[in-house]
Amino acid sequence: MTTDEDINNDLQHFDVILPKPFIWPIGLDRVYYDLGEGKQKDLCATRQAIYDLFPEYTATFDKTIKSRKASYCNLFVMSRENFD
C-alpha cells in the first residue's frame, strides 16, 4: 500500500507520478477501432482536426496512436506548481 510519505518522497525525485502503462499487443489505433467502440473515420477526423488547428502536434499524434503503450485512468500526482 502506498502511503502519503511514499508519494511525498517520490515527488522529491520526480516531477510527475503516473500509473504503470498498459502494453497492448497491437497499436492504439487498432485498439480504438478493432477492440473498442471507435470508428476509423472518427480517428481520422481527430487527426485532421489536430493537423488543421495545431499542425506542430500532428507527428506526436501519429507516433502516439501507433504506439502500443497507454496510461489509463486520467490519473497523475504532481506538485501544485507543476500542475499550474
Side-chain angles (χ1 to χ4, degrees):
M1 179 171 165
T2 303
T3 66
D4 288 348
E5 185 178 337
D6 295 330
I7 292 170
N8 288 326
N9 183 52
D10 285 346
L11 287 174
Q12 298 299 312
H13 305 285
F14 305 102
D15 292 333
V16 179
I17 302 169
L18 297 171
K20 184 176 179 179
F22 185 85
I23 309 294
W24 290 93
I26 56 178
L28 296 178
D29 55 347
R30 303 301 309 182
V31 171
Y32 179 75
Y33 48 81
D34 286 353
L35 304 178
E37 297 295 321
K39 304 277 189 272
Q40 188 170 5
K41 68 178 179 63
D42 298 334
L43 201 56
C44 290
T46 300
R47 186 189 186 282
Q48 187 64 49
I50 291 169
Y51 178 79
D52 292 344
L53 298 170
F54 305 100
E56 65 274 20
Y57 295 132
T58 305
T60 301
F61 174 83
D62 291 343
K63 180 180 176 183
T64 301
I65 205 65
K66 292 292 184 190
S67 162
R68 295 178 31 232
K69 185 175 10 175
S71 293
Y72 294 101
C73 303
N74 295 325
L75 178 71
F76 58 84
V77 178
M78 67 179 68
S79 68
R80 168 60 72 180
E81 177 183 68
N82 284 333
F83 179 79
D84 290 339

